[in-house]
Structures are given as C-alpha cells and as structure tokens.
C-alpha cells in the first residue's frame, strides 16, 4: 500500500466519474452569476481544475479557459475531455495567474496543501489574483471552515470494481482536516489497494474576508452559487469577490 498527496491515477478516474456532481452543479450556478454581473465572455482561470468539468462547461459557453492543478492524472483527464482549454500542472500558490476576467476555485481547492504549498498563504494568492483580474472582473471560490468534519457523514462507497473508505479527522486546535482515503480496485491483473492522505487547512470566514479586502476586493459571503446551494450543512462557504 502506497501513499501520495493528491489524486493518483485510479482515484482521479473515480472522482471524475462518480463525484463530479459538485463541479457540474457549481458550473451552472457560477454561469448564472456571471450572467448577472454581465461577464458573458472573456478569459476564465480555474484554480484546482481537476478533471476539467468546469473547463468543458465554460468552453461550451464561449469563454476561453486556463486550468491549473497539482495532479498530473487529473490534468491528463482534463486534456482528453476538453481540447480547447489550456491546462497547467503545478500549485496555483506558486504559479503566476494569467490575465483574465474571472478566477474560479471550487471544491475547497484553496484548502488543500502539501509540501508544494505548505508555507503559502491565501493573502498573497489573493493579491496576485487581484492583479491578474480585469477591472470589472470577479473572483469566485468556496472553502472549508472549522467544523467541516460535521458535514462528512458518509464513510464508505462501493461499485462493481472498487470500494473506498474515508477516515476524517479534524484538529480543532490547529484548524486542519485530514482525509485518509483507502481504495480497493479490481482490475484484469487482480485486486490491489491504494491509499492517499489529503490534508486541508481550514479557514475562518473572517480571516479570508479580511485578506480579500486587504487585496482590494469587495467580498460577499455566500452559501452557494446562483440557484445551487452547497450540499454541506456545516463548515462550508464561499465568496464572490468583485474588483473595486
């Protein structure tokens, strides 16, 4: 049994095929918001783009899209799914954000950290995003807060060829969440096991709001995107941050 930081080959495929509902619904809700703010074209940057679900959706709506993700396997799936988008491999905490009209980050991607971004802070990222976004642009993201573990009720999933168990632990003193993901797969070569440990830094709403304001944004805290409400009853939220 091996261990890695972020989505490997098999977990990436499972996440794309069986857990893409959040990204699919978020895309629809975010598009409603962009129409409301009259941002119906231009360049969109998706931080933590995963398997390219949002990229595919917004390409279909006429935007140009750049996706950034730390998982090579996720980027590979995204490239096959969406030919017209541009994808970059790496941590968005350490990469230059391209000039754009919109920056998105969905699925609590801002919370994920490992050795590549363990010392990075949202404050610096927000400042860079502010510089990258056009004068009428918007930054939209969701994030996990302390108490997120209380919304993690389901522990096991099973399909014909795989079984997954997830153990959640939240350190309330240091404000981080650990997910230990154990995966059993049945393949033509037999059954094997894979383990990943995902670590999330949990942020207080007020902390991120202050950093957004400090970067120059006018932020609004939300419990969903457009007509889509986040499916977590505690420890979750988002921000719509307009450039002043």
């Amino acid at each position: 049994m091996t261990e890695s930081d972020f989505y490997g080959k098999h977990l990436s495929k499972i996440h794309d095929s069986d857990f893409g509902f959040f990204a699919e619904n978020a895309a629809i809700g975010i598009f409603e918001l962009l129409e409301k703010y009259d941002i119906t074209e231009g360049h969109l940057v998706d931080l933590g783009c995963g398997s390219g679900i949002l990229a595919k959706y917004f390409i279909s709506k006429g935007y140009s899209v750049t996706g950034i993700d730390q998982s090579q396997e996720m980027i590979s799936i995204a490239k096959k799914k969406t030919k017209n988008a541009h994808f970059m491999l790496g941590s968005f905490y350490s990469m230059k954000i391209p000039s754009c009209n919109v920056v998105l980050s969905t699925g609590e991607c801002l919370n994920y950290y490992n050795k590549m971004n363990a010392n990075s802070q949202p404050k610096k990222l927000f400042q860079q995003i502010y510089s990258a976004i056009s004068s009428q642009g918007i930054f939209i993201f969701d994030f996990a807060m302390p108490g997120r573990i209380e919304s993690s009720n389901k522990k096991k999933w099973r399909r014909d060829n795989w079984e997954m168990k997830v153990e959640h632990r939240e350190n309330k003193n240091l404000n981080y969440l650990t997910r230990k993901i154990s995966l059993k797969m049945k393949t033509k070569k037999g059954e094997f096991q894979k383990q990943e440990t995902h670590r999330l830094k949990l942020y207080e709403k007020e902390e991120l709001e202050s950093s957004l304001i400090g970067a120059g944004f006018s932020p609004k805290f939300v419990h969903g995107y457009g007509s889509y409400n986040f499916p977590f009853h505690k420890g979750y939220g988002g921000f719509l941050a307009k450039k002043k």
Side-chain angles (χ1 to χ4, degrees):
M1 184 176 289
T2 59
E3 182 174 283
S4 61
D5 287 312
F6 292 106
Y7 294 88
K9 179 179 179 180
H10 298 287
L11 189 58
S12 292
K13 290 181 178 179
I14 289 172
H15 190 276
D16 178 61
S17 62
D18 290 78
F19 296 92
F21 62 90
F22 185 95
E24 291 166 355
N25 287 299
I28 296 170
I30 289 171
F31 182 64
E32 293 172 358
L33 293 171
L34 295 183
E35 284 190 310
K36 176 182 177 182
Y37 288 105
D38 198 29
I39 308 176
T40 55
E41 60 182 4
H43 190 55
L44 183 151
V45 176
D46 184 9
L47 307 181
C49 65
S51 60
I53 293 174
L54 271 76
K56 182 178 181 179
Y57 179 86
F58 284 103
I59 287 287
S60 74
K61 295 297 183 180
Y63 298 84
S64 61
V65 178
T66 294
I68 302 174
D69 202 280
Q70 293 191 63
S71 169
Q72 177 67 69
E73 299 298 336
M74 283 291 199
I75 290 290
S76 296
I77 296 173
K79 286 181 176 179
K80 292 177 182 177
K81 181 180 298 185
T82 311
K83 301 296 183 182
N84 296 327
H86 175 59
F87 294 103
M88 303 167 65
L89 177 65
S91 169
F92 51 75
Y93 275 101
S94 58
M95 299 176 70
K96 180 176 175 58
I97 307 298
S99 298
C100 57
N101 305 91
V102 180
V103 173
L104 305 178
S105 186
T106 64
E108 61 194 17
C109 289
L110 289 179
N111 296 93
Y112 272 73
Y113 75 98
N114 66 356
K115 61 184 179 182
M116 295 177 68
N117 59 17
N119 296 319
S120 300
Q121 298 179 6
K123 182 178 180 179
K124 293 182 179 179
L125 176 65
F126 294 168
Q127 291 170 343
Q128 187 185 166
I129 291 172
Y130 185 87
S131 297
I133 291 178
S134 61
S135 59
Q136 300 300 315
I138 189 169
F139 175 31
I140 302 174
F141 69 97
D142 55 76
F143 64 101
M145 299 182 284
R148 174 70 175 88
I149 194 171
E150 296 181 43
S151 293
S152 304
N153 298 318
K154 192 168 182 179
K155 305 286 191 299
K156 298 179 181 180
W157 292 262
R158 179 176 293 177
R159 299 292 186 269
D160 291 339
N161 64 331
W162 60 266
E163 177 182 333
M164 185 169 68
K165 297 180 181 180
V166 181
E167 179 183 345
H168 305 268
R169 292 185 179 179
E170 183 171 327
N171 186 313
K172 295 183 178 180
N173 293 321
L174 299 177
N175 280 345
Y176 69 82
L177 177 72
T178 301
R179 292 189 183 119
K180 184 177 180 181
I181 303 170
S182 301
L183 180 65
K184 290 184 180 180
M185 292 285 298
K186 294 179 181 179
T187 69
K188 294 180 180 179
K189 296 182 180 180
E191 183 177 287
F192 75 94
Q193 298 183 25
K194 177 75 175 180
Q195 180 174 297
E196 292 193 17
T197 300
H198 295 185
R199 296 177 177 87
L200 285 74
K201 174 65 178 176
L202 303 176
Y203 296 108
E204 297 283 359
K205 166 190 169 183
E206 293 77 12
E207 176 185 1
L208 295 187
E209 185 174 39
S210 175
S211 294
L212 287 167
I213 293 171
F217 286 106
S218 177
K220 177 184 178 182
F221 183 75
V222 296
H223 295 283
Y225 299 136
S227 59
Y228 177 57
N229 294 320
F230 298 139
F232 311 111
H233 67 279
K234 291 197 71 174
Y236 213 84
F239 275 106
L240 309 182
K242 285 285 292 179
K243 191 168 185 177
K244 295 181 181 178

